[in-house]
Amino acid sequence: MEKKAPALSELRDIARKMRQSGLSEIELNGHGFRVSMKYAPVSPAILPRDVQDETPARPAVPAPDAVYAPFPGIVLLQHPLNKIPFTRPGERVGKDALLGLLKVGVIYLPLRSPVQGVVGYLSVEDGDCVEYGAEIFTLRREELAA
């Protein structure tokens, strides 16, 4: 099996993981390509000490929750047979509500709401191909009234 040159998005993921893990150098080779990535170590002497943060405090705004692609695949925002949308922006959804499907090969995986809330916006359109970790939905959390 021949290795293909990694896509730019894959190289960005590798660079992010290198930075998080503290890895300073990596080299990838394949048929017709060679990629070498290096990070200079960050010296504690370069970092400023005892610097006061002078930015004013912002009011606490709840961050939106998001649904990310668990695998690379094709996003289906409407039922594949009857073409009825699963959800729309502004619609209230419960926790674990079906928001869409992710087609991975011949398998359809459910995309469910992680929280009770309101669908903020859709980051993709029906039929779009997404990579692992791509944002699909953003939800604004709603607290349950007691």
Side-chain angles (χ1 to χ4, degrees):
M1 180 188 231
E2 292 183 25
K3 293 182 182 177
K4 295 186 338 184
L8 184 58
S9 61
E10 293 172 321
L11 292 174
R12 286 185 183 128
D13 288 340
I14 292 169
R16 182 176 38 80
K17 290 176 183 175
M18 284 176 62
R19 179 66 80 176
Q20 290 172 347
S21 67
L23 188 64
S24 62
E25 185 174 339
I26 191 169
E27 187 171 315
L28 306 169
N29 293 311
H31 184 67
F33 76 91
R34 178 175 173 230
V35 176
S36 179
M37 296 168 51
K38 297 179 183 181
Y39 276 115
V42 178
S43 171
I46 296 175
L47 299 174
R49 288 188 230 164
D50 301 330
V51 175
Q52 297 291 329
D53 185 17
E54 297 178 11
T55 57
R58 295 182 182 183
V61 175
D65 291 290
V67 176
Y68 300 97
F71 296 97
I74 299 171
V75 175
L76 300 175
L77 301 176
Q78 51 191 354
H79 192 280
L81 298 177
N82 60 19
K83 303 298 183 195
I84 296 174
F86 291 108
T87 189
R88 291 185 174 91
E91 186 175 326
R92 290 181 180 206
V93 294
K95 184 173 179 359
D96 295 326
L98 183 62
L99 302 174
L101 296 173
L102 183 66
K103 184 178 179 189
V104 181
V106 296
I107 298 172
Y108 291 87
L109 301 173
L111 298 170
R112 298 198 177 271
S113 172
V115 296
Q116 178 174 336
V118 176
V119 177
Y121 66 89
L122 307 172
S123 303
V124 297
E125 293 185 20
D126 188 57
D128 281 357
C129 291
V130 294
E131 295 184 12
Y132 168 77
E135 183 179 287
I136 299 173
F137 299 95
T138 300
L139 297 126
R140 290 189 315 271
R141 189 181 294 247
E142 270 188 359
E143 299 300 326
L144 292 172

